[in-house]
Amino acid sequence: MQALHIFTGTQLSVARIRELSACSGPVDLAPEAWPRVAASRAVVERQIAAGAVIYGTNTGIGSQKDVGVAAADLAAFSNRMIISEATDFPGPPISDPVVRAALVVLINIVAGGGTGMRPALVERLLALYAAPRMPTVRADTAFGSADLTPLSQLSLGVLGISLDDRAPVLPTRFDLAPKESVSLIDNNSFALGDGALVLVEAERLLLAFDLAAASALEGFRGGLRAQAAQAAGGYRGDGQARSRENLSRLLEGSALHRPDQARFLQDPLSFRSITQINGAAYEVWDWARTQFEREINSSSDNPLVDLESGELFTSSSMVSLLPALAMDSLRKALAKVSVQSMERALKLQSPPFTGLPVGLAADEAADGGVISLNLNYIGSARMGSLLAAAAPVILHYVGNMSDGVEDVTSRFALSVTHAGALVDRALEAAAFELAIGEW
């Protein structure tokens, strides 16, 4: 059967991650990636044979980094590390699409040839993706300096072990070789995979806000000149141009293009600034997508294998600061778009702005219109949780995790989680404005 996707290690997009997260199937590495994987493993085995001390290979990890592993224990050490790190702390399971997205990112990282995994382990990862379901992985167990716990729980599936009472996803057992355990867990595949899915939804959200704004403009009988390119005062970025093109397409044939249709010389600022504010969010989205895709298509491990020199390098490649910062920035931009959307929705119901009955009630009925549906109260409540999710998390400080070991945390996983929650709430805000505009 032909492979569903070929991993090169350098060409995976967030859109493709979204597609691959939706279903299982046969996948493979690109032909040129397999020799990289084999060469990378050969570097590790030469270093072990030469008696090199290698972090997480013949030493413990974290606070036990200076504790050596006896040669007689090496064979069992890697499996034990995964099992010990896969703590089944109570919590909801991560959905199969998110687990599959994380697995996709992990496979792509391995295809780059920087981890030192054996080809046999890579084949096991490919088989795991092809399985009809994913292993159980608990949510909210990563803090932003490698997704240690969720990746360990995913790796139980590689070993042929189940975290819970379900049968193992892969029925046969598999043993890891030295260094492979640390290579499986020293990256942020879960935050990157989940974040990729959120980014795809965030792009859909911005399109929804453009649609809602077009509806609001028609409902308000707003002026279109403020949305024209000439009103931008020069080049203001591709994002503003994208929002402007969306509005233009959505309002093609609208009566608003006729002379003297606009009711005001100058509309309220929340209407005049649609393309400027939505456009800024498009710009941040595009920057965030770029940071995610750079990270997804880079090697992450500690230590990293350098194929050119044939050496291992101590690394902090799992910190993933830029994607975390980008997701924080995107949440703030989406929150601003949501606030402006709510402003337009409220003005659409206000007689001083519309000249229509309060709450758009037919025949000025005392119990009719939008007000009777409590949409404003519901919208305000949802906006509260939306704005709470917009607060940046990258500055949340957590000190030494244990025994003086410094872990610089970006709170990357939390930033992605809050972004997903905010996108859900913001979609409701867009629907709120769209419903009022159509009303």
Side-chain angles (χ1 to χ4, degrees), residues 25 105 126 155 158 220 235 239 257 270 315 328 348 353-354 368 424 430:
V105 173
L126 298 176
S155 298
V158 174
F220 195 76
Y235 177 71
H257 291 285
S270 58
S315 169
D328 270 10
L348 285 168
F353 289 103
T354 64
D424 287 344

Side-chain angles (χ1 to χ4, degrees), residues 168-184:
V169 174
L170 298 178
T172 59
R173 291 296 294 267
F174 184 88
D175 293 320
L176 301 176
K179 191 185 179 301
E180 289 182 329
S181 56
V182 75
S183 298
L184 283 168

Side-chain angles (χ1 to χ4, degrees), residues 156-417:
L156 289 180
V158 174
L159 299 181
I161 301 172
S162 180
L163 184 70
D164 53 19
D165 294 334
R166 297 194 299 174
V169 174
L170 298 178
T172 59
R173 291 296 294 267
F174 184 88
D175 293 320
L176 301 176
K179 191 185 179 301
E180 289 182 329
S181 56
V182 75
S183 298
L184 283 168
I185 65 178
D186 248 338
N187 57 80
N188 285 302
S189 292
F190 268 91
L192 289 166
D194 192 10
L197 303 186
V198 171
L199 283 170
V200 172
E201 288 303 302
E203 184 179 27
R204 290 181 63 244
L205 168 66
L206 287 170
L207 293 169
F209 272 123
D210 283 340
L211 173 61
S215 176
L217 275 168
E218 284 221 298
F220 195 76
R221 277 183 56 198
L224 296 184
R225 294 180 68 82
Q227 317 303 330
Q230 298 89 326
Y235 177 71
R236 295 296 177 97
D238 293 338
Q240 187 167 352
R242 183 176 180 182
S243 182
R244 185 185 306 120
E245 289 166 4
N246 287 340
L247 275 185
S248 176
R249 183 176 64 255
L250 290 162
L251 292 171
E252 185 177 354
S254 169
L256 296 182
H257 291 285
R258 300 172 189 166
D260 303 322
Q261 279 296 299
R263 293 185 303 108
F264 295 114
L265 174 66
Q266 183 168 280
D267 291 331
L269 198 58
S270 58
F271 285 83
R272 282 185 285 140
S273 62
I274 290 169
T275 59
Q276 187 170 355
I277 291 175
N278 291 17
Y282 276 116
E283 293 277 332
V284 178
W285 178 88
D286 192 57
W287 180 69
R289 177 188 56 80
T290 297
Q291 303 315 314
F292 268 74
E293 291 181 348
R294 285 176 178 171
E295 195 88 4
I296 287 162
N297 291 293
S298 300
S299 293
S300 179
D301 198 359
N302 181 34
L304 271 171
V305 177
D306 178 54
L307 291 175
E308 185 174 349
S309 66
E311 297 181 9
L312 296 174
F313 285 82
T314 297
S315 169
S316 62
S317 55
M318 74 294 297
V319 171
S320 298
L321 187 65
L322 273 171
L325 179 62
M327 198 56 85
D328 270 10
S329 300
L330 181 61
R331 290 201 315 281
K332 290 187 286 185
L334 294 177
K336 179 61 176 175
V337 172
S338 301
V339 167
Q340 293 300 105
S341 174
M342 177 67 78
E343 283 293 323
R344 289 190 296 272
L346 293 174
K347 287 179 173 60
L348 285 168
Q349 305 168 58
S350 176
F353 289 103
T354 64
L356 298 173
V358 175
L360 307 179
D363 302 321
E364 302 187 31
D367 59 349
V370 177
I371 297 297
S372 66
L373 300 181
N374 273 340
L375 289 184
N376 290 349
Y377 289 95
I378 295 170
S380 295
R382 298 300 174 90
M383 190 62 65
S385 56
L386 185 156
L387 295 177
V393 303
I394 201 167
L395 297 179
H396 291 187
Y397 176 72
V398 176
N400 294 335
M401 303 301 291
S402 64
D403 300 333
V405 173
E406 181 188 15
D407 274 314
V408 178
T409 173
S410 64
R411 288 295 176 189
F412 184 20
L414 182 61
S415 188
V416 170
T417 298

Side-chain angles (χ1 to χ4, degrees), residues 91-111:
I94 298 174
S95 69
D96 272 12
V98 173
V99 176
R100 198 174 287 114
L103 181 57
V104 165
V105 173
L106 178 59
I107 293 171
N108 196 67
I109 289 172
V110 173

